[in-house]
Amino acid sequence: MTAIKYELIKTCKQTGARLGRVTTPHGSFETPVFMPVGTLATVKTMAPEELKDLGANIILSNTYHLWLRPGEDIVEEAGGLHQFMNWDGSILTDSGGFQVFSLSDMRKIEEEGVHFRNHLSGEKLFLSPEGAMQIQNSLGSDIMMAFDECPPYPATYDYMKSSVERTSRWAERCLEAHQKPEQQGLFGIVQGGEYEELRKQSAQDLLSLDFPGYAIGGLSVGEPKDVMNRVLEFTTPLLPNEKPRYLMGVGSPDSLVDGAIRGVDMFDCVLPTRIARNGTCMTSNGRLVVRNAKYARDFTPLDENCDCYTCRNYTKAYIRHLIKTNETLGIRLTTYHNLYFLVKLMSDVREAIREDRLGDFRDHF
Ligand SMILES: [Zn+2]
């Protein structure tokens, strides 16, 4: 009995994009899906009811951050992450690997794991595949991620090859250390950078371990967009049809559509919530910086084509005023709008797949 089920509903005849359904112990949702990021067990400024209201069924939380604060033992004592934060939908946790590699400059990678310093206190820490599993088991997320190395872009072929091999050995250790496979599904992460041969090797290694889902890691780390699309083109066909595919850290509107076209089912990114906090909004006409002076007397919504709570009730002039005066309602309204925008975009993408017209949708986007 596995914790995660995937059903492929339909493939778009025009593009090959997949319409599917993922079921976790906390409900089910259609894919392609965008997952809002709640780093510290909160999607910044949003109450769980608001996330539900804007259409989110699954959110992501960060193992590394929760390990440091408040500590996974406290979350476990509260009854797990769902209980702790009052979210009854699905939760995916990352492995902590990405933060160890991106936040910490004092790190040393060994076969056993990674030594590094806490980015807040400077304290020496160590994270291993077994540690990452123990923390995620305590958090109780529905989907856990294997502990991998996420090398920077660009990396040499030789470095990437040894990294891919280590990530495969770590994946095997993760599978062995995972204590609750009936309640939490563990995804493997395909690495290999821009090298087709290494992506093949990585996929082969991980598929032999039979994870309930697979992520594509090591993208959206500074490579040009055409490199990402090319890597997706040769990587998604390596993954099994009957399991979900998750592209980590991708969240610009055009990348979501490009990823779906190339067979990706799940996405996450801090982009919509991060830019919302400095007053930048995603709209059907591109990015809009509502702080700008030209909106001081603009009494129209952020996006004329959006029917979210923010756009139905508030004007650019008002939101600009709130953000300029550091009123917290301002960033709540922009956060709500940006998340709604991406969740709605994915719902439009699913509709286009259902009707075999995602290619046309992309051309008009
Ligand atoms: Zn809106």
Side-chain angles (χ1 to χ4, degrees):
M1 187 54 202
T2 148
I4 304 299
K5 275 201 328 224
Y6 175 78
E7 179 201 347
L8 178 60
I9 298 171
K10 173 171 198 313
T11 303
C12 174
K13 291 199 181 89
Q14 215 175 47
T15 60
R18 291 149 48 100
L19 176 69
R21 174 170 286 279
V22 171
T23 304
T24 81
H26 286 86
S28 74
F29 49 89
E30 281 195 339
T31 57
V33 71
F34 175 77
M35 305 181 280
V37 177
T39 298
L40 281 160
T42 167
V43 175
K44 289 193 200 314
T45 77
M46 291 287 102
E49 292 73 19
E50 293 170 305
L51 294 171
K52 279 275 166 67
D53 186 57
L54 64 82
N57 296 305
I58 175 166
I59 59 167
L60 181 145
S61 227
N62 292 112
T63 290
Y64 170 81
H65 293 281
L66 294 173
W67 175 39
L68 300 189
R69 294 181 303 185
E72 78 281 8
D73 54 326
I74 292 180
V75 176
E76 187 170 31
E77 214 176 301
L81 199 46
H82 296 84
Q83 285 264 86
F84 185 54
M85 66 179 290
N86 187 34
W87 170 256
D88 62 6
S90 301
I91 301 178
L92 182 149
T93 46
D94 63 2
S95 69
F98 183 77
Q99 279 73 28
V100 168
F101 289 103
S102 61
L103 287 178
S104 159
D105 40 23
M106 298 280 294
R107 60 173 181 264
K108 193 163 161 262
I109 308 168
E110 290 173 354
E111 185 60 25
E112 193 47 33
V114 187
H115 295 271
F116 61 100
R117 284 184 189 277
N118 179 333
H119 76 288
L120 301 167
S121 67
E123 175 201 0
K124 281 186 182 167
L125 291 170
F126 177 72
L127 194 59
S128 64
E130 290 77 14
M133 292 305 103
Q134 177 262 310
I135 300 167
Q136 293 181 81
N137 279 153
S138 297
L139 295 174
S141 50
D142 300 281
I143 300 175
M144 309 177 12
M145 300 305 300
F147 186 69
D148 64 332
E149 184 190 351
C150 184
Y153 176 88
T156 65
Y157 181 89
D158 288 342
Y159 184 86
M160 194 58 84
K161 186 169 167 59
S162 62
S163 168
V164 159
E165 287 164 357
R166 182 166 43 229
T167 286
S168 296
R169 291 191 296 273
W170 282 359
E172 205 169 341
R173 281 166 56 190
C174 285
L175 215 49
E176 272 168 36
H178 180 18
Q179 296 293 314
K180 301 174 179 170
E182 279 96 41
Q183 292 123 61
Q184 297 176 269
L186 172 63
F187 283 18
I189 306 176
V190 174
Q191 289 285 356
E194 58 186 310
Y195 305 107
E196 185 168 0
E197 207 183 308
L198 298 181
R199 290 278 174 186
K200 252 183 208 157
Q201 183 187 337
S202 179
Q204 233 165 41
D205 291 351
L206 297 176
L207 261 62
S208 73
L209 298 173
D210 197 24
F211 287 96
Y214 292 92
I216 301 162
L219 289 177
S220 199
V221 289
E223 78 284 0
K225 208 156 261 185
D226 60 310
V227 171
M228 175 157 86
N229 283 335
R230 190 167 51 82
V231 171
L232 287 178
E233 262 151 38
F234 60 64
T235 304
T236 49
L238 303 170
L239 303 175
N241 262 322
E242 68 281 7
K243 290 181 178 175
R245 306 153 175 184
Y246 160 34
L247 175 56
M248 306 180 80
V250 168
S252 70
D254 52 338
S255 301
L256 293 181
V257 179
D258 284 341
I261 285 177
R262 287 162 182 82
V264 174
D265 307 309
M266 300 165 68
F267 303 86
D268 82 283
C269 194
V270 293
L271 184 73
T273 38
R274 182 172 288 166
I275 64 175
R277 293 196 295 278
N278 54 51
T280 302
C281 302
M282 295 172 166
T283 77
S284 50
N285 298 308
R287 286 207 191 171
L288 181 145
V289 183
V290 74
R291 305 179 72 98
N292 286 351
K294 65 176 175 181
Y295 299 119
R297 288 184 169 75
D298 188 328
F299 304 108
T300 64
L302 293 172
D303 186 346
E304 296 281 5
N305 299 312
C306 180
D307 55 1
C308 84
Y309 168 76
T310 301
C311 293
R312 276 187 284 114
N313 295 291
Y314 302 95
T315 64
K316 293 189 195 78
Y318 179 61
I319 296 168
R320 173 177 186 271
H321 157 71
L322 293 178
I323 287 180
K324 296 284 283 183
T325 53
N326 292 320
E327 285 292 339
T328 49
L329 180 61
I331 60 174
R332 287 185 52 206
L333 294 176
T334 52
T335 299
Y336 190 102
H337 165 83
N338 279 357
L339 288 176
Y340 182 93
F341 183 82
L342 290 188
V343 167
K344 174 72 166 56
L345 171 66
M346 296 320 268
S347 144
D348 292 344
V349 164
R350 293 194 298 271
E351 217 40 52
I353 297 174
R354 229 184 283 275
E355 293 165 5
D356 295 312
R357 53 172 179 80
L358 187 59
D360 299 340
F361 180 89
R362 176 71 180 103
D363 293 342
H364 291 106
F365 186 61

